[in-house]
Amino acid sequence: MKPTKAEPLLSVRELTTTYPGRRRAAPVRAVDGVSFDIAAGETLGLVGESGCGKSTTGRTIVRLLEPSAGSVRYDGRDIGHLSQRELKPLRKDLQMVFQDPHSSLNPRQTVARIISDPLLVQGSSAADARRRAAELMELVGLIPEHIDRYPHEFSGGQAQRIGIARALATSPRLVVADEPVSALDVSVQAQIVNLMERLQRELGLAYLFIAHDLSVVKRVCDRVAVMYLGRIVEIGDKERVYAAPAHPYTRALLSAVPLPDPVAERTRERITLLGDPPSPAAPPPGCTFHPRCPKAQAVCRTEAPLLRIDAPGGTRRVACHFPESL
């Protein structure tokens, strides 16, 4: 579903999340000035290497973590600094699907209780919540008669369906999906992706789809945001980002995605990045990507690039002094 030009459903501006350092260690700025919008019914993919701050961004948006700075506006209202009491009525509209389905489900609770809990918190009766849980099980492709089973009695794909059903219990408008298929077998991944696409069409959901698998992101997302060391370095429509990546980091990520054509796979350019990502507790000065960037020059070592529009009238933004497409 393509994004509309209306007021965005979610608007994130200069979001920063800092973890305090242990003992005398320096604090870790896991998310560093992140900004993006998500329209109603749109899917924004958030990609990058492990440890770049993707999951922290998602958890901060739904207030599982507290933001250190910046704003999170949902449907025009700043929710980043609401009290838990003020936030409670809005939680039904903002839900999350976690990466590991089994670790995110309480092993001591039945599926009925797991799916019903969000409804009970919002004030539904036990009978209505159980009835809704059975409907949701059928909606996500599970057998309603299994409602009194425990999580360990389900496979990984079935457990993820339970997590999705729980997220949908309160009829949310925005779902943060944190690596929802990375812990599953490839065949099961396809089933879950198809399920999420169908639910989006039927329910009009918006997704923040966090992943490191760029093939899955290309399939399900309308736009893509690429993160590196807590910052967004490129964001734009997926067709343009995948066809002509502007940031050297984006080019390197896409060069690692296998191609189905053996000839194209053998002849294409492969970009190998040097070294490992720097520690977010001690990021390098200037552009944080410059120690690994094949195009780095003197200005990259001293001046952090701004996330700017890559062409007049364009919508893609790139944080690079020497982007590829310019």
Side-chain angles (χ1 to χ4, degrees), residues 112-169:
R113 180 59 187 271
I114 289 171
I115 300 177
S116 298
D117 260 353
L119 293 167
L120 296 174
V121 169
Q122 293 293 331
S124 295
S125 67
D128 288 342
R130 182 181 175 86
R131 189 180 310 110
R132 175 63 173 160
E135 294 173 354
L136 288 165
M137 287 190 69
E138 188 171 9
L139 180 66
V140 300
L142 295 174
I143 301 174
E145 287 75 14
H146 294 169
I147 195 170
D148 290 315
R149 292 186 177 184
Y150 289 85
H152 73 271
E153 299 179 76
F154 295 87
S155 68
Q158 291 173 326
Q160 192 62 290
R161 291 173 187 266
I162 295 170
I164 293 172
R166 176 179 59 186
L168 297 178

Side-chain angles (χ1 to χ4, degrees), residues 272-295:
T272 302
L273 298 178
L274 302 175
D276 297 321
S279 169
C287 175
T288 54
F289 185 60
H290 85 256
R292 307 173 73 194
C293 181
K295 301 180 64 177

